[in-house]
Amino acid sequence: MNNTIKELFDRKSVRVFTDKEISKEDKELILNSAMQAPTAGNQQMYTIIDVTDQAVKDSLVKTCDNQPFIATGKMVLIFCADFYKWYKVFEESGCSPRAPGVGDLMIAVSDANIAAQNAVVAAHSLGIGSCYIGDIMENYEEQRKLLGLPDFVLPCAMLVFGYPTEQQLARPKPQRFNLEDIVHKNKYNLMSKEERIEMFKTHTKDKDFNDWMRRFCDFKYESDFSKEMTRSVKKYIDDFSGE
C-alpha cells in the first residue's frame, strides 16, 4: 500500500480542532489542488466560496442544523455547482443559449464534489482534518441570501477544515461495508433480504437489527433536516428546470 492509498484509508471526518491556524501557503495549496480535479469538458462548473467572515460562519451554524464546530473551523469552503457563469458568458458572447436544465445541474454537482474531494485529500496529506457538511443544501432561501447566490448555482458541499485534536486522531474510523456488497459484477445485484441483513451487520454489529434500523431511519431519513433538504434541493432543481 503506497502512501497515497494509505492516506485514503486513514482519513476520517474531524469535528474538533486545535487552535493552530492554517497557513496562507497551505490554504492556497489546498485550493489549487481542488482545481486540479477532473471536470467535464474542462468547464469547471463550480465556484468555491472561501468563508473568512466569522459572522458568516456563525450564521452557517444556524442554517446548517446548529452544528457549533462550523464556527471554529480554521478554513470553511463552500463548493457550489455553478452554471450561472457559463450561461452569462454564452449570452454575452452573442450566443442564444437554452436555459440550463437539470442535466446541467447534475454534471455541475459532479464537478463541484470531485473538486471538494481533491481538497479533502490534499488537506489530509498536510495533516489538516476536514468534515463535509451536506446540510448546506438545506434552507434554500436563507443560504441564497447569506451567500449572495444567483440563479443556476447550488451550494452542494461545505467543508470545515482544521488541525485535529489528539482525541480526534485517536478516534476509530467508522467501518465501511464489505467490498463485495458495494461492487456488483456487470449488473445491479438486487440481493435477498438475508443478504442485505448480512451486509448491514458492518453497521449494526451486535445490536438488534430491526431496532437499530428503526432508530437510524427515524434519526436520519425521517428527520426534519432530511425533509428540509429534500424541499430545498427541489427548489434548486425547479430553478434549473424553469418550473
Side-chain angles (χ1 to χ4, degrees), residues 168-191:
Q168 289 285 288
L169 287 172
R171 182 176 58 83
K173 181 174 180 174
Q175 185 177 347
R176 302 310 197 226
F177 288 120
N178 294 321
L179 185 66
E180 60 269 21
D181 294 322
I182 296 297
V183 180
H184 297 189
K185 300 284 185 166
N186 299 314
K187 63 179 182 179
Y188 193 92
N189 177 15
L190 291 174
M191 294 188 181

Side-chain angles (χ1 to χ4, degrees), residues 113-223:
N113 284 332
I114 295 167
Q117 185 61 16
N118 258 32
V120 164
V121 174
H124 183 73
S125 74
L126 298 169
I128 298 168
S130 61
C131 184
Y132 275 102
I133 308 290
D135 306 288
I136 192 65
M137 292 188 288
E138 297 176 31
N139 296 309
Y140 168 93
E141 296 81 4
E142 291 88 344
Q143 308 290 31
R144 290 195 70 184
K145 182 178 179 181
L146 178 66
L147 302 172
L149 302 178
D151 291 337
F152 312 128
V153 175
L154 162 65
C156 55
M158 181 163 73
L159 283 167
V160 181
F161 296 87
Y163 288 93
T165 62
E166 288 299 323
Q167 179 272 335
Q168 289 285 288
L169 287 172
R171 182 176 58 83
K173 181 174 180 174
Q175 185 177 347
R176 302 310 197 226
F177 288 120
N178 294 321
L179 185 66
E180 60 269 21
D181 294 322
I182 296 297
V183 180
H184 297 189
K185 300 284 185 166
N186 299 314
K187 63 179 182 179
Y188 193 92
N189 177 15
L190 291 174
M191 294 188 181
S192 65
K193 176 182 177 180
E194 292 72 24
E195 286 172 326
R196 279 190 293 275
I197 289 173
E198 191 63 30
M199 172 184 176
F200 276 88
K201 282 183 179 178
T202 56
H203 289 45
T204 61
K205 301 191 185 305
D206 58 351
K207 298 179 179 65
D208 180 88
F209 185 85
N210 290 336
D211 181 64
W212 190 95
M213 283 296 165
R214 282 192 294 268
R215 289 173 182 272
F216 192 87
C217 183
D218 290 343
F219 174 70
K220 293 287 280 187
Y221 186 70
E222 294 291 352
S223 65

